[in-house]
Amino acid sequence: MPLAPGSLSGKTALVTGSSRGIGADTVRYFAQAGANVVINYRNKAPRAEKLAAELRGLGVEVLVIGADLTEPESVQAMFSEVERAFGSLDVLVLNASGGMESGMGEEYALQLNRDAQVSVLQTALPLLGNGARVVFVTSHQAHFIRTTPTMPEYVPVALSKRAGEDALRELIPDLEDRGIGFVVVSGDMIEGTITATLLERANPGAIASRRESAGKLYDVSEFAAEVARAAVDPIPDDNTRLIGDTSSFAGE
């Protein structure tokens, strides 16, 4: 249990891309700690509703909202619904990302991993008060892309996620003026994620190779626990929480 039961009672948390995987486990940890939660999904409504039913069983309020984060009107509608339901937001986890999906234009990775992240945060600002926390979820392969090469299949995603991280970091002074904390959580390859599966398909043996190099890879639940903790733990001086082995990544 990453968070103490009741430690988030009376708080509201929204996790983007939370109908499955890391996002779903993160929002589950928040609910277990007593927070009212917002489950955001793009096109998996039944899965989101199933998770919501489970979390309502914990005695918290759960709002399920479908939104395309690359569409500003959709993002605005999502936060308008959050405001109607809860009035404010205490935790915003920017978890949704992508870029390896087939059939998407080459600009899609930047639209989702940079532009949409900034848009979501800026649209949420009126709901985030003093003491609120924003968490951006990324990977070591993206965080260190300027100094450490990654697999060719992942380069467009890594570059776009790093661009998103940089754009969000530029907002830190304004966030701090508002009393809002900001933390980047970077993890190694995570066992069982869609990204890991796609990378393994494109580059067979990639996961096993990285596991051997790192000594251990976190699974979805373990990494989600770290994301949840980032929403409550003291903010590191560099606003960065590195999860898992980083010995093979060169610092900037």
Side-chain angles (χ1 to χ4, degrees), residues 28-43:
R28 183 179 285 113
Y29 286 132
F30 288 152
Q32 289 171 348
N36 297 319
V37 295
V38 183
I39 300 170
N40 158 251
Y41 68 94
R42 188 177 67 179
N43 53 18

Side-chain angles (χ1 to χ4, degrees), residues 50 79 135 148 173 178 190 223:
K50 181 179 179 182
F79 285 111
V135 180
T148 306
R178 296 168 179 260
I190 309 299
F223 184 65

Side-chain angles (χ1 to χ4, degrees), residues 8-129:
L8 290 179
S9 293
K11 305 288 189 181
T12 300
L14 184 154
V15 181
T16 63
S18 49
S19 68
R20 66 180 176 189
I22 293 165
D25 275 2
T26 301
V27 88
R28 183 179 285 113
Y29 286 132
F30 288 152
Q32 289 171 348
N36 297 319
V37 295
V38 183
I39 300 170
N40 158 251
Y41 68 94
R42 188 177 67 179
N43 53 18
K44 302 293 184 183
R47 188 163 54 196
E49 292 291 354
K50 181 179 179 182
L51 175 61
E54 173 197 333
L55 300 187
R56 289 186 184 111
L58 298 172
V60 300
E61 292 186 53
V62 183
L63 189 62
V64 179
I65 307 178
D68 182 343
L69 303 185
T70 65
E71 295 290 341
E73 298 84 1
S74 186
V75 172
Q76 182 61 64
M78 175 172 71
F79 285 111
S80 293
E81 199 168 336
V82 172
E83 184 174 20
R84 280 195 298 272
F86 299 115
S88 63
L89 192 60
D90 301 287
V91 177
L92 172 64
V93 178
L94 300 169
N95 166 72
S97 64
M100 293 191 68
E101 301 89 343
S102 59
M104 307 302 280
E106 60 184 49
E107 290 299 311
Y108 179 70
L110 269 177
Q111 289 174 355
L112 177 58
N113 298 331
R114 182 193 62 190
D115 302 345
Q117 306 302 316
V118 173
S119 170
V120 169
L121 175 51
Q122 290 180 329
T123 308
L125 276 179
L127 299 181
L128 295 167

Side-chain angles (χ1 to χ4, degrees), residues 163-237:
E165 179 182 335
D166 291 343
L168 290 167
R169 284 183 183 276
E170 289 180 7
L171 303 177
I172 289 176
D174 180 48
L175 294 174
E176 290 180 342
D177 286 345
R178 296 168 179 260
I180 300 169
F182 177 82
V183 184
V184 171
V185 180
S186 177
D188 207 332
M189 286 185 188
I190 309 299
E191 303 257 21
T193 61
I194 298 297
T195 298
T197 300
L198 292 173
L199 284 172
E200 183 69 21
R201 190 177 300 159
N203 194 345
I207 303 301
S209 174
R210 181 61 199 149
R211 187 188 305 115
E212 183 177 351
S213 173
K216 166 188 168 61
L217 294 180
Y218 280 63
D219 64 22
V220 168
S221 179
E222 291 170 327
F223 184 65
E226 297 290 344
V227 174
R229 285 235 56 95
V232 298
D233 282 354
I235 298 172
D237 289 340

Side-chain angles (χ1 to χ4, degrees), residues 233-246:
D233 282 354
I235 298 172
D237 289 340
D238 61 354
N239 299 85
T240 309
R241 189 180 179 107
L242 299 174
I243 308 303
D245 179 67
T246 59

